[in-house]
Amino acid sequence: MTERPAAPAHGGRGGAVDLSALRPPFGPEEAARRAEARGALYFAEHQLRRLRSYAGTVLGVGVGTPVLYLLAMGIGLAGLVDDAAGPGLGVPYLHFVAPALLVSAAMMAGAEENSYTVMAGFKWQRLYLAARATPLSAGQLAAGHTLAASARYLLTSGVYYGVLLLFGAVPQPATGWLLVPLGVLAGNAFGLPVMAFAARLTEDRGEFALLQRLVVVPLFLFSGTFFPLSALPAALQWLGWVSPLWHATQLGRVLAYGLAEPAWLTVLHVACLAALAVTGWLLARRAYARRLDA
């Protein structure tokens, strides 16, 4: 199919105006082919452009939260804990709590990006329905959302890690930098199951508020974030073993200051986080397909 050459237009003063720059660079067939091949990246780009509308909030929280927590925990509470516990933790309290705060920030970002944002895409703003009317598939929309959310986890973890370095909270930076990709893994290990849950909801009747109060906050408090899991009563220690935050926190401590633990347990941390992320992704993609292809 040959393209028709652009016709010159005449300006107001009788001069010719070249409109060739207004010609689409490729036809609809090529546009559809590119969308089929790169649809997830296109939708991720759209989501990241949308994220710019509240980028100030994301950066403010990303910088302000670690500074405030580290001032409170690493300088304020740490002095009391170090004096009371002595060598009980094996490391200064600042080093103990810092990796937990980083992965907690990623987990909370995962809860935020995959709850109300997903509901808005299906119901309030209907962004997914509009995008599905193009050659983009339901799977590409799910993948694009996940890529954009992962970019936020990367930014959050990177800023947090930079603040930790300024506070001297990472004694082994040779491996400590791996806290940044760990934050991305932790965000997806928690966020993707939330995404699958949100994609199945047709109405918000308080489910996300309950998720925050009954899941996110208890995990933050009882996953070894501020004290070792062994300090909990034996009847509650199982919460840590099923918590993605505990596995991410322990793995972060291994990377940040060389927490001594068996090699099999370190492998188990990685396996549990990866299994949660993969399972959540498969369920989320299936929910998107059912919702958008019905």
Side-chain angles (χ1 to χ4, degrees):
M1 179 177 179
T2 60
E3 295 185 358
R4 182 180 302 174
H10 295 281
R13 297 182 179 179
V17 177
D18 184 10
L19 297 182
S20 60
L22 300 179
R23 182 190 306 166
F26 43 77
E29 295 84 358
E30 176 64 12
R33 188 191 67 79
R34 293 190 181 194
E36 183 178 359
R38 309 172 192 171
L41 295 177
Y42 289 162
F43 192 71
E45 179 186 2
H46 177 276
Q47 293 293 85
L48 290 174
R49 289 179 181 274
R50 178 192 57 83
L51 186 65
R52 291 190 307 181
S53 63
Y54 57 96
T57 301
V58 172
L59 288 175
V61 172
V63 175
T65 299
V67 170
L68 291 175
Y69 265 116
L70 289 172
L71 286 174
M73 302 295 178
I75 295 179
L77 183 61
L80 300 175
V81 173
D82 290 338
D83 291 341
L89 290 176
V91 293
Y93 188 68
L94 173 62
H95 297 167
F96 176 81
V97 77
L101 294 178
L102 186 149
V103 295
S104 296
M107 181 194 76
M108 291 180 181
E112 180 181 344
E113 283 294 327
N114 293 286
S115 54
Y116 291 104
T117 304
V118 173
M119 175 67 78
F122 280 113
K123 182 173 179 62
W124 299 323
Q125 298 175 344
R126 297 183 179 272
L127 175 63
Y128 293 138
L129 302 182
R132 187 64 186 92
T134 72
L136 273 66
S137 67
Q140 287 176 324
L141 299 181
H145 179 93
T146 302
L147 288 173
S150 296
R152 177 177 175 180
Y153 311 150
L154 184 64
L155 175 63
T156 298
S157 301
V159 170
Y160 223 121
Y161 181 67
V163 174
L164 295 183
L165 288 179
L166 290 177
F167 275 78
V170 184
Q172 294 184 6
T175 55
W177 67 270
L178 291 171
L179 287 170
V180 177
L182 174 61
V184 178
L185 177 59
N188 281 315
F190 186 81
L192 285 171
V194 173
M195 181 182 176
F197 169 70
R200 285 172 165 78
L201 293 180
T202 57
E203 296 284 347
D204 175 25
R205 297 185 175 91
E207 290 88 350
F208 296 142
L210 290 176
L211 175 71
Q212 183 71 26
R213 295 170 186 170
L214 300 182
V215 179
V216 175
V217 172
L219 288 184
F220 182 55
L221 296 176
F222 300 112
S223 295
T225 308
F226 302 108
F227 46 82
L229 195 63
S230 58
L232 283 174
L236 295 178
Q237 291 184 16
W238 64 271
L239 288 172
W241 287 92
V242 301
S243 167
L245 182 56
W246 180 74
H247 290 288
T249 293
Q250 292 298 97
L251 186 56
R253 288 171 178 150
V254 171
L255 297 172
Y257 64 81
L259 172 69
E261 68 174 17
W264 67 266
L265 186 53
T266 301
V267 173
L268 179 64
H269 295 324
V270 177
C272 286
L273 293 172
L276 284 169
V278 171
T279 302
W281 161 247
L282 293 175
L283 292 175
R285 179 169 177 167
R286 186 176 182 181
Y288 271 61
R290 285 184 174 179
R291 191 84 176 265
L292 296 173
D293 295 338

